[in-house]
Amino acid sequence: MLRSATFAALRKAKPVAGFKGAMLQASRGMASSDTTTIELGPRAFEGYNIEVPSSQVTMSKEDLMTIYRQMQTVRRLEMAADSSYKHKLIRGFCHLCTGQEAVPVGVESALTKEDAVITAYRCHGFTHERGASAFGILGELMGRKEGVSKGKGGSMHMYAPNFYGGNGIVGAQVPLGTGIAFAQKYRGEQACTVTLYGDGAANQGQVFESYNMAKLWDLPVLFVCENNKYGMGTAAGRAAANTDYYTRGQYIPGIRVNGMDVLAVRRAIEYARQYAISGQGPLVLEMNTYRYGGHSMSDPGTTYRTREEIQHMRSTSDPITGFKHRLVDSGVASEDELKAIDKEAKRLIDAELAKAKAVPEPNANELWDDIYVRGTEVPYLRGRVPEETHYY
């Protein structure tokens, strides 16, 4: 009874007041003669116990073109990974974010380098946006010694400055991200942590434990659910009693975001970051997005959804195509300028892939390195059989 009454009260609670007005004033202050104001439309955001961000985004042409370039680069990076996997240059698990590029690019464009990001195994886009090169990412995918994890991590275990992976255990990154945010608050840093997970992980108990701890201590953490509609091969509605993931924080306000619109993602994260670092605590954000491929490279992605559904999403909601039309229609860029960026992204990724292919795999004697910080190793580590025991 007490819990039911509490939830009822939460749904009737008034949205946080004053915060939206302060953010709107800040965004208006950025406008100048070399900036463009873009209207996102009424479907960009939905709020739960909080006012939603302004639907107007004001940015310079340079920043808008950078966002377009980054999305094209991430798309080309994933296309190169797809091709390399099919040519057996990449083995094992490999989860691509083709179709979801607006999320990593939009998130990163709203953060500072002092902010932290942690995500699950669909991590290539985030790794690149946090500063890793396409060469390092492709090299890691192919198990080459100059990969971002020295060829030992593969698709799911990539890292960059203030990027904590790439995590292979479903939902396990959520409490880790909560801990990173705790450290930020403990140190008095003006920074937040973006902790991402998928709709398939949203039912994990550790997610709700993290919500509780984050709100109890008002930690500067943004819980971001990338809802691409399918957890592996199971539609969200078949696995979750409540698919409004942005409301699941109960005592934590939430925002649903059009995750196929890179500017909506940027605006939401910008707004949420300011909320979190101002001492008001965590937010839950749901990014409505869609992956074109299967859950992983071993999944054709067409046994639990139709090819017509995928084609419909490609033709009506593609994040890159939609952003391209927006730039042209608003007079920010011409078709020729954007085509030049498309070609540049392809040339870059082709060159990085060729360079990564030429790098050898790590030596077998490096297998035992990087398990412990040098000087802190245990006396020995066991292998599969006694003869494989390694002594430091």
Side-chain angles (χ1 to χ4, degrees), residues 3-18:
R3 185 170 66 176
S4 298
T6 301
F7 289 173
L10 282 167
R11 287 196 175 273
K12 293 178 182 178
K14 293 181 179 179
V16 177

Side-chain angles (χ1 to χ4, degrees), residues 120-275:
Y121 36 74
R122 205 176 303 279
C123 65
H124 308 158
F126 288 102
T127 309
H128 184 267
E129 291 306 293
R130 285 267 88 184
S133 68
F135 164 72
I137 293 168
L138 292 166
E140 188 59 38
L141 287 168
M142 294 187 286
R144 306 307 167 95
K145 68 178 184 179
E146 292 185 27
V148 291
S149 297
K150 300 183 180 179
K152 301 177 184 180
S155 175
M156 299 190 290
H157 303 102
M158 297 183 180
Y159 309 91
N162 269 335
F163 177 62
Y164 294 84
N167 291 268
I169 305 301
V170 175
Q173 72 279 6
V174 180
L176 294 178
T178 306
I180 297 166
F182 174 80
Q184 289 169 328
K185 182 166 184 175
Y186 184 81
R187 294 169 181 160
E189 299 171 357
Q190 284 292 295
C192 73
T193 297
V194 178
T195 301
L196 297 113
Y197 55 97
D199 53 286
N203 298 320
Q204 290 268 321
Q206 57 193 331
V207 173
F208 296 93
E209 293 175 57
S210 298
Y211 287 171
N212 180 65
M213 186 176 291
K215 186 55 187 172
L216 190 64
W217 294 335
D218 277 336
L219 301 181
V221 57
L222 309 181
F223 296 107
V224 179
C225 176
E226 290 186 89
N227 178 11
N228 62 18
K229 309 297 184 287
Y230 297 93
M232 297 187 72
T234 303
R238 295 183 61 205
N242 175 14
T243 57
D244 292 329
Y245 297 102
Y246 70 113
T247 69
R248 284 184 164 207
Q250 301 165 355
Y251 37 78
I252 301 175
I255 302 172
R256 175 184 278 155
V257 183
N258 178 3
M260 301 300 271
D261 183 344
V262 68
L263 295 185
V265 175
R266 173 191 165 93
R267 187 74 185 93
I269 295 296
E270 178 185 52
Y271 181 87
R273 178 185 184 276
Q274 189 60 40
Y275 179 97

